[in-house]
Amino acid sequence: MGLVNKDISNGIGIITLNNPRKLNALSTSLINDLCVCLEEMIEENARVVIIRAPAGSKVFSAGHDVAELPTNGRDPLTYNDPLRLAVRTIEHFPAPVIAMVEGSVWGGACELVMSCDMILASEDSHFAITPAKLGVPYNISGVQNFMITGGVPLCKEMLFTAQPFPVNRLVEAGVVNHAVPVEQLEDLVMQIANQIVKNSPLVISLLKEELRLLSAAHNLSPETFERIQGLRRQVYDSRDYQEGIRAFFEKRPPEFKGS
Ligand code: YXS
């Protein structure tokens, strides 16, 4: 596979994001390769899947590929956006998906990692949720995922500051299951994966889907949905949205005007 590597043995699948030139940015092509890998893992009866970057990575993923964010008045994070597709594919995958994190995780890659069933990270990893820095109106299900996973106080601090947070802050909040010295990370992940593989795949698949449905059981009236979408449109139609993306590629701090 082009931008991801795939390996499976003894029911344990390992998917390695492998586009270091683009810092594993979640481009359409990388996400497509990831989703194809996950589909193949179902066919090959993987009992657990580990998503990782190559050992020693300084950046796990730089998040959404900014070059693919539309600047022509289109919603940048619609239902069919590659990031949304990847999140749903992981959430619906019929077995546990473990994010094994080394390095820094940026923007939408934080949501991708948080959509996994467990996060095990090296103790020097960092997580930055950056829509406010780029001027991007994050979408409803993404904000809901952050809220459910991290809790509102931590999410507000991460979303409003758009700064990298050390992994221990996410361990304290219960977002990250374990943070260990990097040399212990792979052994711990494999230990947990081997524990999972010994148990009933049918029961685990049922439990995963039960937990997904129960945690996402939030009523959103059509009027509330439309109000949020209207607010989001005001942002992605704004000059600030264009400025955020332009500033990123010009490698300068954005000058947001609030319009
Ligand atoms: O200048 P060249 O051509 O070498 O390209 C640079 C960067 O522009 C490029 N690059 C990216 N290209 C597209 N999308 C990205 N997300 C992205 N990130 C980086 O990669 C080349 C090397 O980057 P450089 O020189 O900055 O590397 P570095 O080692 O000094 O810094 C690594 C990072 C990850 C700290 C830095 O690249 C960075 O801060 N990247 C942006 C991280 C970020 O804010 N990601 C959010 C993307 S938007 C998103 O996920 C959602 C839509 S939202 O914003 O809503 O969360």
Side-chain angles (χ1 to χ4, degrees):
M1 194 62 60
L3 301 180
V4 299
N5 298 334
K6 187 188 94 173
D7 178 57
I8 182 166
S9 63
N10 303 318
I12 299 175
I14 299 177
I15 297 175
T16 305
L17 308 182
N18 200 21
N19 188 14
R21 189 179 58 78
K22 293 275 289 186
L23 302 175
N24 289 334
L26 301 179
S27 59
T28 302
S29 44
L30 185 140
I31 294 293
N32 286 346
D33 289 353
L34 172 62
C35 292
V36 165
C37 259
L38 285 165
E39 292 303 324
E40 290 170 353
M41 290 283 181
I42 295 177
E43 289 155 21
E44 294 166 32
N45 297 314
R47 296 280 184 85
V48 60
V49 172
I50 299 158
I51 296 179
R52 62 170 298 170
S57 294
K58 294 285 178 268
V59 177
F60 176 85
S61 169
H64 205 295
D65 187 336
V66 178
E68 293 185 358
L69 289 173
T71 53
N72 57 354
R74 277 186 41 240
D75 186 335
L77 291 174
T78 56
Y79 184 80
N80 295 316
D81 177 84
L83 172 61
R84 308 271 25 104
L85 177 65
V87 166
R88 287 198 303 273
T89 304
I90 290 170
E91 289 173 338
H92 288 86
F93 190 81
V97 179
I98 298 175
M100 177 178 154
V101 173
E102 279 184 68
S104 55
V105 187
W106 297 83
C110 286
E111 191 193 348
L112 181 95
V113 162
M114 290 177 179
S115 69
C116 294
D117 299 290
M118 287 177 222
I119 305 172
L120 286 84
S122 65
E123 59 189 6
D124 59 353
S125 57
H126 288 77
F127 296 75
I129 306 179
T130 51
K133 185 170 80 175
L134 275 163
V136 175
Y138 217 77
N139 69 301
I140 297 171
S141 58
V143 171
Q144 181 175 325
N145 284 342
F146 286 137
M147 189 177 80
I148 291 171
T149 309
V152 174
L154 175 65
C155 282
K156 283 185 175 178
E157 188 182 351
M158 292 188 79
L159 283 164
F160 297 165
T161 64
Q163 292 302 305
F165 279 57
V167 67
N168 66 297
R169 288 289 309 277
L170 281 81
V171 171
E172 286 161 12
V175 175
V176 171
N177 298 75
H178 301 278
V180 296
V182 65
E183 60 274 7
Q184 297 173 19
L185 181 59
E186 188 159 346
D187 285 350
L188 177 60
V189 169
M190 292 308 290
Q191 177 192 325
I192 290 175
N194 279 302
Q195 289 167 350
I196 292 170
V197 164
K198 290 179 187 143
N199 295 325
S200 160
L202 292 178
V203 170
I204 290 173
S205 184
L206 166 71
L207 291 169
K208 175 170 175 174
E209 184 62 358
E210 282 176 318
L211 286 164
R212 183 184 73 80
L213 292 170
L214 292 170
S215 58
H218 290 262
N219 293 324
L220 200 59
S221 70
E223 192 262 340
T224 304
F225 174 80
E226 287 166 1
R227 168 168 162 63
I228 295 173
Q229 287 296 83
L231 292 170
R232 292 186 62 245
R233 181 172 192 125
Q234 287 170 9
V235 176
Y236 67 76
D237 274 351
S238 70
R239 283 190 295 273
D240 272 3
Y241 174 68
Q242 307 284 340
E243 162 62 10
I245 292 174
R246 195 167 35 247
F248 174 78
F249 285 113
E250 292 172 4
K251 301 186 184 299
R252 60 173 172 80
E255 292 173 27
F256 292 127
K257 301 277 196 281
S259 64

